[in-house]
Amino acid sequence: MAEKLAADERNRQHNSPEAVAARLAATRGRSVAIDAAKIRSRNEATELVRQEQAAKRRGDAPRALPVSLADALAKGVPPTRWIVEGLLKGDSTCLLSGPFKAGKSAVTASLVRSLVDGDPYLGHFPVIPTAGNVMVVDTEQGMGELLEVYGSQKIRNMHRVHLVSTDGLASDWDLSLDENMDAAVSMCQANGVTVLVFDPLSPLFVAMGLDENDSSAQAPLVRFSELKRRAGLDAVVISHHSGYGGGGRARGSSSLPGWAAALWNITRDGDKLDSVRSFDAYGRGINVPPGVLSLGLDGRLQFVPASEAAQARRLSNEELKDVAHRMWIERYVAAEPGHAASFYAAKLGGGTADRGVQVPIEAGGATLVNVTKNGIETTVATMLVDGELINKGSEKRRELFVVPHEQRLVSDPIARPSNTQPNPFTTPAERDEISPDLTPNSAPFNTDQLFATPGMN
């Protein structure tokens, strides 16, 4: 009986609220200790992976160490190395922004052509041709559209341009993923790329699930800087949309323009697609005031500084055309005298003569004008009447020679085009009538008309 009472007492004490609470506390303590150990282990593993990834991204690059300002200045300030003079420095980054359908793709395509061919960018900015190749990653256009855009540029060194269409595959360029970063580095190095053009940025934000209005939107751009370093690129140029209206700054977070060393802007005078486009640039050591973007008579984009644009509006297409043909004829007749007009006109078809003539304007610049076969025949007759040419043969077998300027009886129209026309620019229909040899895509537009480039974004 005593044993039974003792057992009951033990059970009562074991199951008492105090005993149960004590046991629960002990169990909870062990569980917490186990969970805490797991969390610490997970945090340690996360930090280890972070360090490994950081080391991988850094690669063989040494850590940046402090240097004395006095020692650095004693070695001298290195001269600025330009890729595009006044616009893009070597070993730098650039962000191009512009409204929808304002010509960002056309502007970037013009840049690519200048980088590989060495032609002045937009017909205005001197270029130091890149030693390597240029790769264009396009996130909106298919390969067909890309070929249309870049084919129209008439690039001479086409083998130095590599096109990557990622339409619908922008996530391949989420460089926060190691496999994508490694693939991008390998792609650039395998193709000898020194300049990367990424056009445009918005689809990448969508693919990465980022809000471009949040400061975290700068993260992809930081990864492009990492790619530039790891792949040994000389420059990365990225395009991005500006907000509604005429443009002026990149759309989204203010952290985006903070990434780039150079900021290029396309602005539009109003919301209409045929509004005048302007281009300006600023950044670290860069300050290019707004100028007009227009299509030259060679079908390529040109930048006309504001002062020259104002003067150019005073010159009619007819005047420019007349002066260009006179300059062209005088040059080739002086070089090979004694032939008929058809001989010189045939040079255009045979590809032994340049079509383009740089016609000076009073602002001190020049504009490129194309000559045509019909224009040569017509202008030769006019120059004979004006005393600029002389025929030493017969009417049936002409032998043309240039009359020296000092022997001419009339004022020389080549010296400077006049400014008498009140309405200097023609409509597209009038333009085609004036120059039937020009196709619509390569026909001249002026600064007051929309420049039209296939696939223009």
Side-chain angles (χ1 to χ4, degrees), residues 157-192:
N157 294 307
M158 292 184 292
H159 62 284
R160 296 182 57 202
V161 179
H162 299 270
L163 304 178
V164 181
S165 172
T166 61
D167 182 22
L169 298 171
S171 59
D172 285 353
W173 285 83
D174 177 359
L175 302 181
S176 64
L177 302 177
D178 286 347
E179 61 183 66
N180 287 348
M181 175 65 80
D182 293 342
V185 171
S186 298
M187 191 184 303
C188 290
Q189 293 177 338
N191 291 284

Side-chain angles (χ1 to χ4, degrees), residues 2 52 92 100 122 134 147 153 158 171 181 183 195 247 259 291 313 324-325 338 347 358-359 361 383 399 414 442:
E52 290 174 348
S92 67
F100 70 100
L122 300 176
V134 178
L147 293 177
Q153 291 293 317
M158 292 184 292
S171 59
M181 175 65 80
V195 176
W259 164 80
R313 290 189 181 96
H325 280 80
K347 287 180 170 296
Q358 292 285 352
V359 178
I361 59 177
M383 293 177 72
E399 298 177 7
I414 295 179
S442 60

Side-chain angles (χ1 to χ4, degrees), residues 88-262:
L88 183 63
K89 298 179 181 180
D91 191 22
S92 67
T93 53
C94 173
L95 182 64
L96 165 68
S97 65
F100 70 100
K101 303 305 176 187
K104 292 187 295 298
S105 290
V107 168
T108 54
S110 296
L111 173 65
V112 171
R113 176 178 60 81
S114 293
L115 291 178
V116 299
D117 286 348
D119 300 331
Y121 180 45
L122 300 176
H124 183 81
F125 301 97
V127 170
I128 293 81
T130 179
N133 299 325
V134 178
M135 186 164 71
V136 180
V137 179
D138 194 290
T139 60
E140 285 188 341
Q141 301 181 102
M143 185 56 71
E145 291 175 304
L146 277 176
L147 293 177
E148 185 178 4
V149 171
Y150 283 88
S152 69
Q153 291 293 317
K154 299 181 176 63
I155 296 173
R156 297 188 296 277
N157 294 307
M158 292 184 292
H159 62 284
R160 296 182 57 202
V161 179
H162 299 270
L163 304 178
V164 181
S165 172
T166 61
D167 182 22
L169 298 171
S171 59
D172 285 353
W173 285 83
D174 177 359
L175 302 181
S176 64
L177 302 177
D178 286 347
E179 61 183 66
N180 287 348
M181 175 65 80
D182 293 342
V185 171
S186 298
M187 191 184 303
C188 290
Q189 293 177 338
N191 291 284
V193 176
T194 54
V195 176
L196 173 68
V197 176
F198 194 87
D199 176 36
L201 186 58
S202 295
L204 182 58
F205 286 143
V206 175
M208 296 179 66
L210 295 176
D211 180 0
E212 66 180 24
N213 296 302
D214 190 86
S215 60
S216 62
Q218 193 186 51
L221 300 179
V222 174
R223 296 296 187 186
F224 275 106
S225 293
E226 180 184 327
L227 172 63
K228 180 172 76 71
R229 180 186 59 77
R230 289 184 57 185
L233 304 178
D234 204 20
V236 174
V237 178
I238 296 178
S239 78
H240 186 44
H241 297 287
S242 58
Y244 286 102
R249 67 174 296 274
R251 190 179 67 195
S253 170
S254 59
S255 65
L256 298 180
W259 164 80

Side-chain angles (χ1 to χ4, degrees), residues 298-317:
D298 59 351
R300 292 173 172 173
L301 280 180
Q302 292 184 335
F303 173 82
V304 183
S307 58
E308 295 182 19
Q311 176 62 34
R313 290 189 181 96
R314 303 176 191 174
L315 306 178
S316 72
N317 279 359

Side-chain angles (χ1 to χ4, degrees), residues 300-361:
R300 292 173 172 173
L301 280 180
Q302 292 184 335
F303 173 82
V304 183
S307 58
E308 295 182 19
Q311 176 62 34
R313 290 189 181 96
R314 303 176 191 174
L315 306 178
S316 72
N317 279 359
E318 278 299 309
E319 289 175 307
L320 293 173
K321 175 187 171 186
D322 178 66
V323 173
H325 280 80
R326 288 174 187 263
M327 292 174 64
W328 190 97
I329 291 167
E330 182 169 322
R331 183 201 313 167
Y332 284 98
V333 172
E336 298 183 67
H339 301 281
S342 58
F343 171 83
Y344 304 106
K347 287 180 170 296
L348 290 179
T352 59
D354 295 330
R355 283 183 175 270
V357 176
Q358 292 285 352
V359 178
I361 59 177

Side-chain angles (χ1 to χ4, degrees), residues 23-39:
R23 288 196 302 275
L24 288 175
T27 302
R28 187 179 300 113
R30 288 193 298 272
S31 177
V32 168
I34 292 172
D35 288 344
K38 290 180 179 179
I39 292 174

